[in-house]
Amino acid sequence: DIQMTQSPSTLSASVGDRVTITCRASQNINSWLAWYQQNPGKAPKLLIYEASSLESGVPSRFSGSRSGTEFTLTISSLQPDDFATYYCQQYDSYSLTFGQGTKLEIK
Amino acid sequence: EVQLLESGGGLEQPGGSLRLSCAASGFTFSSHVINWVRQAPGKGLEWVSAISGSGGSIYYADSVKGRFTISRDNSKNTVYLEMNSLRAEDTAVYYCAKDRSSGDGMDVWGQGTTVTVSS
């Protein structure tokens, strides 16, 4: 199975900050990667698909990029609603796999 | 409105069985892969199983292979997850989620149903 290594596990930041979350795949997955946001007690929400495509309705402060097997999710200017947990997920091949998650906390 | 609604969760003893349902509305159901994803208490997301639109392709995580069975009834716009030989480590919130298109991320999720395996 493809392993997804996500970092950091926790990130403390302030409103207005620019933050980056990284996900590394254990092998080539092309650009078959999605990013999700999850708030406590809620279902995940798709933010980014195909590594860098913004899902409809998602604010443009969210962006994704790829360099080889390393993927990044960037939030350009944190808003209060952005403090949540973020997951990457590869869909290059089954079994689908998620990263361990990054909890974004208010500093 | 595009919607998924899970049901069937509950408390079951180790070794027991449960059947989860995922009822869909608001989209062309038979055109989309449906996944089951679970989240144990305080833990991250774990993909469990997926079924293609026709039902002809089925996939499982190693952790549930041989114990869980996914199926779908396109006439009822419903996907099922039959869970047998339940273990304590199957305790989780189970979500069904629709593929955006041809396996391009999961764009619609249900609210989740809780499965607790305990004696």
Side-chain angles (χ1 to χ4, degrees):
Chain A
D1 291 359
I2 298 172
Q3 308 302 315
M4 304 303 296
T5 303
Q6 189 173 338
S7 62
S9 56
T10 307
L11 181 56
S12 296
S14 302
V15 172
D17 284 354
R18 178 186 180 90
V19 299
T20 297
I21 298 169
T22 298
C23 199
R24 181 173 285 109
S26 61
Q27 65 188 68
N28 180 31
I29 59 168
N30 299 295
S31 292
W32 305 129
L33 184 110
W35 289 98
Y36 301 88
Q37 177 193 65
Q38 187 180 33
N39 286 294
K42 301 293 187 182
K45 173 187 174 182
L46 178 66
L47 300 174
I48 301 282
Y49 62 94
E50 210 169 323
S52 60
S53 296
L54 194 67
E55 174 68 348
S56 177
V58 174
S60 59
R61 63 180 180 272
F62 291 92
S63 64
S65 65
R66 172 199 173 196
S67 176
T69 59
E70 186 168 291
F71 299 84
T72 58
L73 173 70
T74 299
I75 309 173
S76 60
S77 178
L78 278 173
Q79 299 302 301
D81 285 349
D82 300 339
F83 293 95
T85 300
Y86 293 85
Y87 295 92
C88 62
Q89 177 236 324
Q90 69 80 18
Y91 51 92
D92 178 74
S93 62
Y94 290 100
S95 298
L96 307 183
T97 43
F98 289 88
Q100 304 95 317
T102 295
K103 185 175 183 180
L104 182 52
E105 299 180 330
I106 300 175
K107 185 185 288 184
Chain B
E1 182 190 2
V2 178
Q3 198 170 4
L4 297 172
L5 186 63
E6 304 95 335
S7 61
L11 174 64
E12 184 56 64
Q13 293 186 344
S17 299
L18 278 174
R19 188 176 85 154
L20 306 184
S21 299
C22 171
S25 59
F27 63 97
T28 306
F29 182 70
S30 60
S31 296
H32 289 272
V33 171
I34 302 293
N35 301 272
W36 287 98
V37 176
R38 68 184 180 183
Q39 187 167 36
K43 302 297 184 182
L45 301 171
E46 180 189 16
W47 173 80
V48 171
S49 183
I51 186 166
S52 64
S54 66
S57 296
I58 285 174
Y59 308 91
Y60 298 101
D62 286 345
S63 57
V64 306
K65 202 171 293 183
R67 300 189 298 123
F68 290 12
T69 302
I70 192 171
S71 62
R72 67 191 295 158
D73 184 339
N74 286 346
S75 69
K76 295 182 178 179
N77 282 8
T78 302
V79 169
Y80 305 98
L81 186 68
E82 185 77 36
M83 305 188 299
N84 297 319
S85 302
L86 283 165
R87 306 167 179 168
E89 54 265 36
D90 296 319
T91 294
V93 175
Y94 284 73
Y95 297 100
C96 61
K98 160 190 165 294
D99 265 9
R100 187 179 169 279
S101 65
S102 302
D104 202 9
M106 303 178 205
D107 65 342
V108 179
W109 295 65
Q111 85 291 348
T113 187
T114 300
V115 171
T116 303
V117 183
S118 175
S119 55

